[in-house]
Amino acid sequence: AQTVTQSQPEMSVQEAETVTLSCTYDTSESDYYLFWYKQPPSRQMILVIRQEAYKQQNATENRFSVNFQKAAKSFSLKISDSQLGDAAMYFCAYRSWSGGSNYKLTFGKGTLLTVNP
Amino acid sequence: EAGVVQSPRYKIIEKKQPVAFWCNPISGHNTLYWYRQNLGQGPELLIRYENEEAVDDSQLPKDRFSAERLKGVDSTLKIQPAELGDSAVYLCASSSPFTGGPGELFFGEGSRLTVL
C-alpha cells in the first residue's frame, strides 16, 4: 500500500517570502500522480498543483511550483511571494496511474501554513 | 457552475443516535467519493461510486455505516448507531474525466460531526 508522509505539522512564512513544504511517499509503482491540495479554514479543499510521475519537468502554477525527485520519492511544494490568502492546511496526495481499486487518493496528514503580515 | 454541495455543515448528536449526511455532486460527475477526515489527519476514503455502483467500499465500517447513491446523482451516508470515535469531518467529492485534469477531485465543504 502507498503511504504519504508530511513531516512538518506546521510552517510559517512572512508575507511576500518563499516557503517550501515537504512530502515523501512510498510506492512500488513506476507510474502515478502526485498532488498538493489546499484546505482553507472552513472552506472546501482545492487542487493546487499536479505532477505526473513520468514527466521529468517539475510542474508550476503561477506562484506554486514543485520539486519532484522520483528516485528519492520526494515531492515538495514551493510557494513564492506568499500572500495572506495562502494560509491553509496543505495536503500532499498520491494516486496510482491505473484505475480500479487504486483510483483513490492517499493523503498525508497535512501541513498547516501560517502567513504573517 | 455549482460546486459539490453537502448538508448539514454541522451536526451534534449523542452516541447511539443515527445521523445522515447528504451530498449533491457537480452536475455530470459520475464518480462520487465519501472521505472521513479526523482531527489533525488527512482525509481517508470510505467509499467510491461510479454512477450508482459502489466500486470501492473496503474502508467503510459496514456494521454501522451505510451509503447509497440512488439514480447515480445525490448520495447519502448514514451512521447508525454513532460512536464517540465517529466525530470527524465527512467530505464528499466528485470527479469526471471531462472536468479538470487526471485525478482531480472536487470537494464539498464537509459535514462536521460531533458525537457526545
Side-chain angles (χ1 to χ4, degrees), chain A residues 28-47:
Chain A
S28 59
E29 300 175 329
S30 58
D31 293 320
Y32 47 86
Y33 298 99
L34 294 166
F35 307 85
W36 281 98
Y37 275 84
K38 170 185 177 182
Q39 188 178 41
S42 300
R43 299 282 301 278
Q44 63 260 58
M45 194 176 306
I46 58 172
L47 178 66

Side-chain angles (χ1 to χ4, degrees), chain A:
Chain A
Q2 295 80 22
T3 59
V4 177
T5 302
Q6 294 179 249
S7 59
Q8 306 156 316
E10 297 184 27
M11 292 283 285
S12 63
V13 64
Q14 291 295 128
E15 195 175 4
E17 296 296 310
T18 296
V19 64
T20 299
L21 308 184
S22 301
C23 173
T24 59
Y25 58 95
D26 186 28
T27 184
S28 59
E29 300 175 329
S30 58
D31 293 320
Y32 47 86
Y33 298 99
L34 294 166
F35 307 85
W36 281 98
Y37 275 84
K38 170 185 177 182
Q39 188 178 41
S42 300
R43 299 282 301 278
Q44 63 260 58
M45 194 176 306
I46 58 172
L47 178 66
V48 175
I49 199 165
R50 169 183 41 243
Q51 175 79 42
E52 290 91 340
Y54 71 86
K55 291 185 177 179
Q56 294 185 346
Q57 186 174 8
N58 289 323
T60 62
E61 288 288 343
N62 301 313
R63 297 182 295 106
F64 298 87
S65 62
V66 299
N67 184 3
F68 173 49
Q69 301 291 325
K70 190 174 184 179
K73 297 180 181 176
S74 171
F75 182 62
S76 61
L77 174 70
K78 185 172 78 172
I79 306 174
S80 304
D81 186 24
S82 297
Q83 301 176 359
L84 296 178
D86 295 332
M89 182 72 84
Y90 286 81
F91 291 97
C92 179
Y94 172 102
R95 206 209 85 175
S96 294
W97 182 270
S98 59
S101 62
N102 295 321
Y103 204 76
K104 67 178 183 181
L105 287 180
T106 299
F107 288 88
K109 291 185 176 182
T111 296
L112 180 63
L113 178 66
T114 302
V115 181
N116 300 310

